[in-house]
Amino acid sequence: MSVALKDIVSYCNDYLSVDRFKDYCPNGLQVEGKGTVSKIVSGVTASQALIDAAVESGADLLLVHHGYFWKGEAEPLVGIKGNRIRTLMKHDISLLAYHLPLDAHPEVGNNAQLAKIIGIHIEDGMDQGNPLSVGNVGSISQPMSATAFSDLVSDKLNRKAVLVEGDSRTVKRVAWCTGSAERMIERADQLGADIFISGEISEPVVHYAREAGIHYLSAGHHATERYGAKALGEHLSKTFGIEHQFIDIDNPA
Ligand SMILES: [Zn+2]
């Protein structure tokens, strides 16, 4: 079974409402390979290791959350960037990348998928009332201590999360935004969250949590964004009847 590349691209652009986002990179087809697709490989970041694994597995299309051509990045196709793109083009593999649209999508998005895995009931966007909000707020059914919640998340994501305890409050209301969104802790606090989950940690966020009383949980940039591209790949596989494989290139960050 194979499907026209352009059909997959236009389906994804539409499904993820790409036109409605202002982003730091182009969303959609970043590198064009062969015109038909019979196998999709998905992964978090279009690193050389993921591209090599995609070549090895016979992919026609590589689907990622972190592609190329970020604002401020050097443009010439030389060095590491040149090698990555040369490998894709040499093997006629297309690169399809979705950044914010894949964080925000209410079903396959990184934030929606993270909620499903941890068991958080989604109530709203962190940008309240916006169905395409990047980041959400919701609740867990059984209130628990911050350490118990941190252990639960570590267990579900198979990665030790870093907990910064605020005050002594138990966790019931949760806000989260995958990737590197630790600065959104202030917004999480305004929304009345007991804990805010994101991927990375920075020095000021620790003081903010301690002084505001909200807990902060740094659960890993890679670990929190491992599920969106995979869910989209599975969705495309079902929709178009083509093969899909998610390849996880381990990353401690
Ligand atoms: Zn990210």
Side-chain angles (χ1 to χ4, degrees):
M1 183 69 193
S2 68
V3 175
L5 172 66
K6 63 174 178 28
D7 291 347
I8 296 178
V9 174
S10 67
Y11 178 85
C12 287
N13 289 349
D14 189 44
Y15 182 60
L16 297 173
S17 309
V18 161
D19 292 347
R20 295 173 65 186
F21 289 87
K22 263 206 180 122
D23 211 334
Y24 320 97
C25 62
N27 284 296
L29 190 61
Q30 292 193 341
V31 177
E32 188 173 6
K34 64 187 73 140
T36 56
V37 176
S38 51
K39 177 164 184 180
I40 299 174
V41 159
S42 64
V44 180
T45 299
S47 63
Q48 189 69 46
L50 180 63
I51 294 166
D52 292 343
V55 170
E56 189 69 29
S57 77
D60 308 302
L61 173 66
L62 181 58
L63 170 67
V64 296
H65 179 50
H66 301 139
Y68 308 136
F69 314 115
W70 298 92
K71 261 180 203 152
E73 162 187 311
E75 287 161 358
L77 302 182
V78 300
I80 287 173
K81 185 177 177 181
N83 285 335
R84 290 169 169 182
I85 293 171
R86 185 184 312 111
T87 311
L88 286 168
M89 296 201 97
K90 212 168 100 185
H91 292 89
D92 232 359
I93 298 174
S94 300
L95 179 68
L96 191 53
Y98 294 101
H99 183 235
L100 294 181
L102 190 56
D103 285 322
H105 192 273
E107 275 143 49
V108 300
N110 282 316
N111 286 293
Q113 289 291 317
L114 188 70
K116 199 168 156 189
I117 280 157
I118 300 173
I120 311 168
H121 172 67
I122 301 175
E123 284 160 13
D124 203 347
M126 286 186 76
D127 180 13
Q128 286 179 302
N130 177 3
L132 296 176
S133 166
V134 178
N136 293 90
V137 64
S139 57
I140 50 173
S141 51
Q142 285 299 323
M144 62 180 84
S145 70
T147 42
F149 185 73
S150 172
D151 289 347
L152 170 81
V153 172
S154 301
D155 185 51
K156 297 282 185 193
L157 302 189
N158 199 18
R159 179 198 185 272
K160 181 94 187 93
V162 178
L163 172 66
V164 180
E165 288 187 76
D167 56 24
S168 61
R169 69 182 74 176
T170 54
V171 173
K172 169 79 180 159
R173 188 165 163 83
V174 182
W176 65 101
C177 187
T178 63
S180 109
E182 63 277 11
R183 287 172 308 276
M184 282 169 69
I185 191 171
E186 202 170 334
R187 178 73 191 134
D189 188 34
Q190 287 164 359
L191 292 168
D194 302 311
I195 194 163
F196 178 57
I197 311 169
S198 189
E200 301 200 7
I201 190 164
S202 61
E203 204 268 355
V205 80
V206 175
H207 301 293
Y208 188 92
R210 287 175 182 164
E211 289 170 37
I214 183 173
H215 307 296
Y216 179 64
L217 193 62
S218 167
H221 190 140
H222 177 84
T224 57
E225 298 200 320
R226 231 172 354 197
Y227 306 102
K230 180 172 186 247
L232 179 58
E234 282 164 1
H235 175 82
L236 294 174
S237 172
K238 261 189 229 149
T239 305
F240 290 100
I242 52 176
E243 202 185 333
H244 164 252
Q245 182 186 358
F246 173 74
I247 298 180
D248 190 31
I249 303 294
D250 185 51
N251 185 336

